[in-house]
Amino acid sequence: MKAIAPGKLILSGEHAVVYGCPALAMAIDRHAQAVVTAGGTGADDVSFDLPDVASNESFTVRALRDFKVRVQRNYQEFAEGRMGLREILRKPADLFQYAFITVLDGLHLQVTDGIRVRMHSTIPIGCGLGSSAASILSVLRAVGHYFRVEFRPDWYYRYSLETERLQHGYASGVDSFISLHGGCAVFRQGEARKIPLPRLRLLLVDTGQPASTTGECVAEVRRAHGGSGIWCEFERVTLALEAALCRNDDEAFRDGIRENHRLLCRIGVVPAKVQAFIADVEASGGAAKICGAGAVRGDAGGAVLVHMQGPVQDLCSRHGYTPLTFRGEPLGVRIV
């Protein structure tokens, strides 16, 4: 069984969504893919083949359950402040192993003949485009379909959040919702209101994988700005951008993106090198902003959303960045 799940792009509201404010997000046509097939060296063996992270390992179901208990213990230690976020999981493959055993136990499934899970993704890792949530959901959906379980979106959303928090510490749910359902939505506190996909010209630029993780950025922003009134300003900008999209108002959307960028700079998640690139975009008549957690150290800020009429290639070459092509994705996680 093969399942794919789209990545996501936050147009406005990253970080603010953690504080109960709305986020405006859309699915994009870059996907994570999971393929589940029969196979394995033993009756209850589960093999994980992840070429993107050069990992190929096999475990018994019992070993996966023991692993799940250890990871849950680690998360509790993290939640109580006795363990760092990076210590919850030892390696990238752990995330998918946890997702597998979570859906297996959650749906009361039994492995009797051995199975193999193979993962691949076209979503840049760690750049704010929802690679973790998409990868988790593709595994959950493929495993559920392999065992002929009825697809219940609320179940998969819950299992995805349980797994994603291991990567980010505290998941807002926006990544999982968009990857699960596709399209474009205004998301607030677990509830979403769907709106049409943008028709404006939007581009993505990869500034490199940040040195800090999403969880580390969220924790640092909480420490410095958790009680700030800036989140009301984020909310105002997000709602203005939603209105601009619905009217297909190019000028209002550009102004909103510029203001959002200023707010992100104020909370300290836009590296100086990325700010210089965005300044050049604005000097060319456009607007740009980071569209993930950003970074609290280093020069790279992950993916940057660019809204401008002219070509962006020359600006990317000047700054050493890579343009990424994408389109809005109306569909969420699905079997293909």
Side-chain angles (χ1 to χ4, degrees), residues 1-4 33-37 46-48 64 96-111 115-119 135-151 156 159 333-335:
M1 299 300 172
K2 181 191 295 185
I4 62 172
Q33 171 186 288
V35 181
V36 178
T37 57
V46 184
S47 299
F48 296 88
L64 287 172
F96 312 118
Q97 292 157 19
Y98 188 92
F100 175 88
I101 195 62
T102 294
V103 72
L104 194 78
D105 289 347
L107 298 179
H108 308 292
L109 306 174
Q110 298 292 325
V111 176
I115 61 176
R116 176 177 295 276
V117 181
R118 180 176 174 87
M119 293 287 307
S135 297
I136 291 164
L137 277 165
S138 66
V139 171
L140 297 178
R141 187 71 177 93
V143 171
H145 197 70
Y146 181 86
F147 285 99
R148 301 294 192 271
V149 175
E150 177 190 4
F151 178 56
Y156 289 89
Y159 299 144
V333 63
R334 56 199 184 274
I335 298 298

Side-chain angles (χ1 to χ4, degrees), residues 1 10 17 21 28 63 66 143 158 171 241 252 267 293 310 316 332:
M1 299 300 172
I10 293 186
V17 70
C21 297
I28 61 174
D66 291 342
V143 171
R158 184 170 72 249
L241 281 167
I267 64 172
C316 288

